[in-house]
Amino acid sequence: MADRGVDMLALPKEVKDQLAELDLELSEGDITQKGYEKKRTKLLKTHVYLGCSHLPLHPYSLSFAIIQIQNCNFFRFPSLPLSLSLSPVVPDIHTEAVQAALAKHKEEKMALPMPTKRRSTYVQSPINNCTPPDSSSSSEDEGAVLRQSSVGAGLGAPAPSSLLQPPSLQSPDSWINRSVQGSSTSSSASSSSSTLSHGETIADMLAQARIENSGPPPDVLAAAPQARGSSQVDRPNNPPVVRGMSRGQSRSSMMETADGVPVNSRVSTKIQQLLNTLKRPKRPPLSEFFVDDQEEIVEVPQPDPNTPRPEGRQIIPVKGEPLGVVSNWPPALQAALARWGATQGKSPALTALDITGKSLYTLTYGKLWSRSVKLAYTLLNKLGPKNEQVLKPADRVRHIDSHYFYFSRNDIAPYIFFYICFKLLRIPISCCQGSSQVGFLLGSCGVTLALTSEICLKGLPKTPTGEILQFKGWPQLKWVVTDSKYLTKPGKDWQPHIPTANTDPAYIEYKASKEGTVMGVAVSKVAMLTHCQALTQACNYCEGETLVNVLDFKKDMGLWHGVLTSVMNRIHTISVPYAVMKACPLSWVQRVHIHKARVALVKCRDLHWAMMAHREQRDTSLASLRMLIVADGANPWSVSSCDAFLNVFQIHGLKPEVICPCATSPEAMTVAIRRPGVPGTPLPARAILSMGGLSHGVIRVNTEDKNSALTVQDVGHVMPGALMCIVKPEGPPQLCKTDEIGEIVVNSRAGGNMYYGLPGVTKNTFEVIPVNALGAPIGEIPFVRSGLLGFVGPGSLIFVVGKNEGLLMVSGRRHNADDLVATALAVEPVKTVYRGRIAVFSVTVFYDERIVVVAEQRPDASEEDSFQWMSRVLQAIDSIHQVGLYCLALVPANTLPKTHLGGIHIFETKQHFLDGNLHPCNILMCPHTCVTNLPKPRQKQPVGVGPASIMVGNLVAGKRIAQAAGRDLGMIEDQDLIRKHQFLSEALQWRAQTDPDHCLYVLLNAKGVAVSTATCVQLHKRAEKIAAALTEKGSINTGDNVVLLYPPGIDLITSFYGCLYAGCVPVTVRPPHPQNLAATLPTVRMIIDVSKAACILTTQNLMRILRSKEAAATLNIKTWPTIIETDDLPRHRPPTIYKPPTAEMIAYLDFSVSTTGMLTGVKISHAAVSALCRSIKLQCELYSSRQIAICLDPYCGLGFVLWCLASVYSGHQSILIPPMELESCLPLWLSTLSQYRIRDTFCSYSVMELCTKGIGTQTEILKARGLNLSCVRSCVVIAEERPRLALTMSFSKLFKDLGLSPRAVSTAFGSRVNLAICMQGTTGPDPSTVYVDMKSLRHDRVRLVERGAPQSLPLMESGKILPGVRVIIVNPETRGPLGDSHLGEIWINSPHSASGYYTIYGEESLQADHFNTKLSFGDPTTLWARTGNLGFVKRTELLDAAGHRHDALFVVGSLDETLELRGLRYHPIDIETSVSRAHRSIAESAVFTWTNLLVVVAELCGSEQDALDLVPLVTNVVLEEHHLIVGVVVIVDPGVIPINSRGEKQRMHLRDSFLADQLDPIYVAYNM
């Protein structure tokens, strides 16, 4: 050892401090034994001397030891030994249980897919300087630090009991005078030694009560008979852990997907690992598939026949010993203070310590009384204007308008404040500045005055004028400084009025509920006095004793013992504040030794800290202690802390019988406390319980699996003068059975009275009358709910197993948050997380509670270590507690919200988690393992009814066939034009001759300036030049395909008509992006190859790009077809202008990439072009005098038709606005509408979204510039998808102030087989909106619901059906017609439908199926085109222009895009809408599936620190709203999700990029 030959007493102080810190690291496991010895040797090598031969044994050289205590009894298990842990960190029993649970997985290598994280994303936040004794900044509830199980033994003697006798009260004046004249005696009462039977006790206590089964309770902790069966719940075997890639496996190694496609991808490898993980059966196994007759939301678990159930008799209320009547007990606490101030003025009352642990000053009872009198006089007489009396001494609480609270960090001032005058209402609140919940409590109590110290007042935030800052939610307060120099000394004739204790409120003590709300528990004066008397009797307090208090004495146990009861019994209290404990962990032990203290008031954290630092205090003695009160002894895991502390300090004089755990709550105050024992008596009893039984609320002795055992110690007997029973925690307060866990309720005069200002909650907590099994009340005595869960053991000993606040109800089973913390801490946490910084709570997701664990990660922990620790925690909790975790998150150090004593604030942590403000650095979601109540998967049943039967059934039911039609094209006014010029090229020639100077096109730039125009004759002549160039330079033959590669503009239009003049077939292609040739140029080349283009027409700039070095790096530029640049063509005319022989010949090819990633080209004939232009002209009333504005992509679909074709046919003027120009000038489109007074405009969703997000908040500025949209009659959004109702409504609302009519915005709908099916037009009814049930849509049904109904989806009509178009809704499988309001595929019959697909191989079967298909029943002769979109037709009450009822077409989504998951059909847009609402930082989202896994990609528009916050929120919202579990969540940068020119997401391109690992994600989370 390093300390051989070292004089430890002669070491310098700094070396001792370093050694203490080193010992702390070893004890917490932060350093190995070898590293400890190495560093210790280095520290001591300069202080070694050779004269010492003794080598002391290091107290932690052994990790643990097992000792056996004789004569111990484990409730009928006398042979079992007691296991005590010498390790101050992890008790051996629970560690062994965790290691045994993890041993099942040891043979299988952990290979769960680790999350992918961008390395530059997360930087550990700077860590605050952590001072000993614990780097975890332990909280006031630091019992969680040591909540580990151990096994105990001993015998418990039953407590004596007798009748309840309230103490008599005397006049305060006579009591004080008599006390002054006579000698004082001990104020403690001896308890009766007689023991009554249960029957006698109940007979005396509840003579009028109706109690059944009043026999004595059995030994509920005895071993269960074998006939009961196992107490463990049968569960499926643990699934095997998936093996992942070995370390030597290359990242580029090939793997094969489920589809047989080799994927070279790291991401896909992880997904494959996840798939193998998901092959294991879920728990519990799902039932068989159900026939979809009724919709079921939640899978109802079947009751387990092996579930343990309570079998004992109804419990009998337990009565405490009678509260003795002592003649010298004061009638009020103020009277006690007055007595001691007069008779024992020099007796010490309170000793305060400085930060170093030394005595700062001692307050005597004389000074305490005099300062209290001065403070009372000041409050009553000196606070009003001109020293007028504001409060009168005789006033009662209900007559006082001003209430008070104390705000201070000082130890003496609040102590004095409690004794100024108990008739005033006090709210002792410490360090709660800024809490709005506390402010609400203060406001509800009518608080107007705030008492504080001078030091604290200076530290409060102030305004620039020097006034105290008004805290959020707090009432207006007057701050009063209570230091002596600010107080007024009263006259000799002034004495405070001291009334006898009554039922008026004495003070209000705040408490925070599980939901985070702050409530005030009002304690009456008589309750406060009675409580002090009960504590005096139970603890056997005597006058002149010394008490060391480590707790906060402004509330709870610190207040009850260290302030109130101490003054009543003239006890000298030594306060050891939290700051002193952090600097010197052994300070409270030192104070016990120095002052020979008889009583110490501590928590488990203080025991732990003392063990950490006891090595340097060899002369410390605790022999003077007769009572060591453990305030959080009710914690089930406190037994190991007490045992370990006793084991270490027993050699320092600590006696086993002095350790006294207790159970308390703000409502019932002290519920039970273990009385100090007599030396030589048997140790207290302990219970070894089955966790499986506890989770079902029953008591079962664990006899089989020691890994799932919980050892708890008793908290003594009921308080004197109290009556206690156990009731069910949920529902009516029915008495529990003897072997059932329930909530402890207490009837006593020494408890809280109400929640101040909350009568409803008060009645449910403070006025509870227990009932028997038949629902009849057992009496008329009201009980108070304590919030503690426990049971009554043999000898009327009280056992507490948890609290209501820490209760997690998951799938009908109860789990204690402290138990889960203890299990997590036993999984080697010292390398990964901080102790004492773990929060466990539950969140409601999909009709059940889900457990979430959040811990602070150490800065030196690697990502791999963190992931392995999280994985092992999942396994340990699943094996021991039989429950799955929903989420496990690690956050950077010192980032979790803290309480004012340094502990983790559970509610705020939960709120941060739900709000997406937790900012974790590692996260692991496990919805697959813990969500077992999903709806049953659907299995599609074979259709047993034919289409004819369905049609007949609809007719019998009175439902018409779901079909609709636009108006007949008929004979329109330009009949001669149609007859003479049936080709578009002829129409242009005709217009160039009849109206040559009429302007057809105006092209605007970003500044709104017309950079190019085209009249009829100019367009005709330019087309002739291009036709001549094609003939001369390109050697083009009639019917050849020519690619038009132009930016949006008039050159594209002239080239199109030039091709028609030359007899070629034009193919419009979007030009490649100069800054992104690698991504855009291959698409151009693909279209050129697929279309077999013979020539390319383009501009000079684009031709340079096609032949540049950058293009050569992407593809072979030598294989381009002939390229003709058309910037400077000679003025040549073609010999002849080509005229097609028939109208059925191809006019042009329309190529487009669908949202499924498929490049499709359709053939549009001349007849279809003329019919389409004629239909649009009629629908939108387009004539030569009209002017429209187009802000569309001009390369495909209806956008190309409006950009290039419609103006030549109808003669109207088109103002062309390239969408790319809006990137540099967002208001360009809207300002053009206002400037040119446009009535009709066409745009895309991307343009509308750009305006909504970019200038939606600048309407006032635009209005000031004169922008006016009142001229707009119709604003049509061109799309091939379901209308985006939210976007259109937002656009209408945002620009309503600019004069835009809400009726103006509408949508159009087209598809690949028919470019234009619906368009709102200028006449007819407004678009209608319906609400459908999303659950029905997943089952391919339509069920209309009311607006606001749960799971409702709003759908807007896609516009009126165009003239000449017929629509019918067809079952896509049977191809039979459906009835009205039935979901099916939309089929079209129209003269302007496409002729077919343009493919290389000419798949005739696909052509016939999509473009020339027939109904299987009904009208078998008509040829229909299949749009591939799902929708329905609904006949509305609106009337069209002809006076007929309007048939509305509602588009739901594309069949090719739907996701088949769990036998249901989901539309991606619905899931994406939910995801986008999950968090403000999600700019866009997209979903797709891969091998039955749902993958969600979300674009993060905020800080990368928010990236991991999105993972649980996305998982939650998809699970809640769509009943799906997300397999993978990918967080990417903005703009990563590909979107085509129509604003549609290219989900399949995104999927391919994800699988090829080309997204460069910020974070990829794999949900287990």
Side-chain angles (χ1 to χ4, degrees), residues 34-53:
K34 184 177 181 181
Y36 167 82
E37 295 175 356
K38 183 177 180 181
K39 290 187 177 182
R40 184 179 175 90
T41 302
K42 186 177 180 181
L43 284 174
L44 299 179
K45 64 181 179 180
T46 58
H47 304 279
V48 176
Y49 65 94
L50 301 177
C52 180
S53 61

Side-chain angles (χ1 to χ4, degrees), residues 1345-1356:
V1345 295
E1346 297 295 330
R1347 179 180 180 181
Q1351 293 285 322
S1352 61
L1353 173 68
L1355 292 178
M1356 186 174 70

